[in-house]
Amino acid sequence: SFNSLNHDMTLPEFKFIWYMEYSHRMWGRVVGLAYILPAAYFWRRGWLSRPLKGCVLALCGLVCFQGLLGWYMVKSGLEEKPDSYDIPRVSQYRLAAHLGSALVLYSASLWTGLSLLLPQHKLPETKQLLRLRQYAHGTTALIFLTALSGAFVAGLDAGLVYNSFPKMGERWIPDDLLAFSPVLRNIFENPTTVQFDHRILGIASVTAVTALYLFSRKIPLPRRTRMAVTSLLAVAWMQ
């Protein structure tokens, strides 16, 4: 990277990047200890039920897997590619896997914590409530997919290709959208297509969250649930 891209970098500039990376790794290790040490203590004291033991093992396993994925991702940016004239960068596939794993870990931790702290509401299983729950799960999947597409944007520096919105340059659909062959390769490796997909998914996510909020207004819901849906709407639009 130094020879091909940053040959004019000064020592203080290098130290800044190095300390950022070092801090990220140290913070990840602290997070790992914050999971594993209390989990081992609670387990030994007999404070965990059998189902909770399964959750704790899965979460601790995810923490370790997340660290392993981080190492695997960084390794891809250090590999020598003599036949490539591309800027040295980590693999966008590994970056997406690292981010996806982090989101799953965070969501699972939050879900487990809230399940223990807040009693579950016993609501009558109406057709509308069932539909709302299914729609909420679909919206969650769409948001997750949008976040993963953002990792591909970051990994390919695709945000630098077009900086106008809502059009991309002078066009709604850019000319080089399907420039790579085979066609499927464009979705993961063509910076224009990656940015285009991320825009579409982002707009779709905001639309889905808004529709979820409007649908929830027609159903009698507990105050806590209504607050969660309203907060989701606010955060989606702010994002």
Side-chain angles (χ1 to χ4, degrees):
S1 178
F2 179 81
N3 290 331
S4 59
L5 182 65
N6 297 314
H7 50 269
D8 57 345
M9 180 182 279
T10 62
L11 186 60
E13 286 171 340
F14 172 76
K15 282 182 176 180
F16 175 75
I17 291 174
W18 190 90
Y19 279 118
M20 278 184 70
E21 176 66 23
Y22 181 75
S23 303
H24 181 69
R25 291 182 183 207
M26 290 300 109
W27 186 253
R29 285 164 188 165
V30 167
V31 169
L33 290 174
Y35 264 87
I36 293 164
L37 294 181
Y41 176 75
F42 296 150
W43 193 299
R44 191 170 180 79
R45 298 284 291 185
W47 293 351
L48 303 178
S49 64
R50 192 182 177 113
L52 198 54
K53 281 180 179 179
C55 282
V56 164
L57 280 176
L59 289 171
C60 288
L62 260 176
V63 169
C64 297
F65 179 66
Q66 176 66 8
L68 189 66
L69 263 181
W71 164 80
Y72 185 60
M73 179 193 73
V74 170
K75 185 173 175 287
S76 69
L78 301 173
E79 290 167 355
E80 289 289 338
K81 298 166 188 166
D83 299 329
S84 174
Y85 296 98
D86 199 7
I87 295 169
R89 56 161 68 94
V90 298
S91 161
Q92 69 271 28
Y93 296 101
R94 299 186 195 184
L95 179 60
H98 190 50
L99 176 65
S101 173
L103 288 172
V104 170
L105 174 61
Y106 178 76
S107 302
S109 304
L110 189 63
W111 186 277
T112 305
L114 290 177
S115 300
L116 293 169
L117 290 171
L118 302 174
Q120 192 173 359
H121 287 297
K122 298 293 181 186
L123 298 173
E125 288 289 327
T126 62
K127 193 179 284 186
Q128 275 190 318
L129 187 66
L130 186 64
R131 197 177 297 157
L132 180 71
R133 191 179 288 127
Q134 289 171 340
Y135 192 69
H137 289 159
T139 305
T140 303
L142 181 60
I143 292 168
F144 181 73
L145 190 63
T146 305
L148 285 191
S149 75
F152 280 91
V153 172
L156 289 169
D157 287 333
L160 303 176
V161 182
Y162 291 97
N163 58 6
S164 56
F165 187 86
K167 288 185 177 182
M168 296 179 76
E170 296 298 317
R171 303 176 67 90
W172 289 101
I173 299 174
D175 293 331
D176 54 341
L177 194 68
L178 300 174
F180 291 14
S181 182
V183 174
L184 192 64
R185 195 175 145 221
N186 289 279
I187 298 170
F188 305 107
E189 297 181 15
N190 184 340
T192 299
T193 315
V194 165
Q195 194 196 120
F196 181 79
D197 290 344
H198 188 58
R199 289 175 180 227
I200 298 299
L201 286 167
I203 294 164
S205 292
V206 173
T207 306
V209 169
T210 306
L212 179 72
Y213 170 79
L214 293 173
F215 183 49
S216 73
R217 300 291 294 174
K218 298 175 181 178
I219 306 171
L221 293 170
R223 181 173 173 272
R224 198 171 74 207
T225 311
R226 197 162 296 292
M227 228 164 77
V229 177
T230 306
S231 300
L232 179 65
L233 179 76
V235 170
W237 277 98
M238 185 171 68
Q239 173 71 0

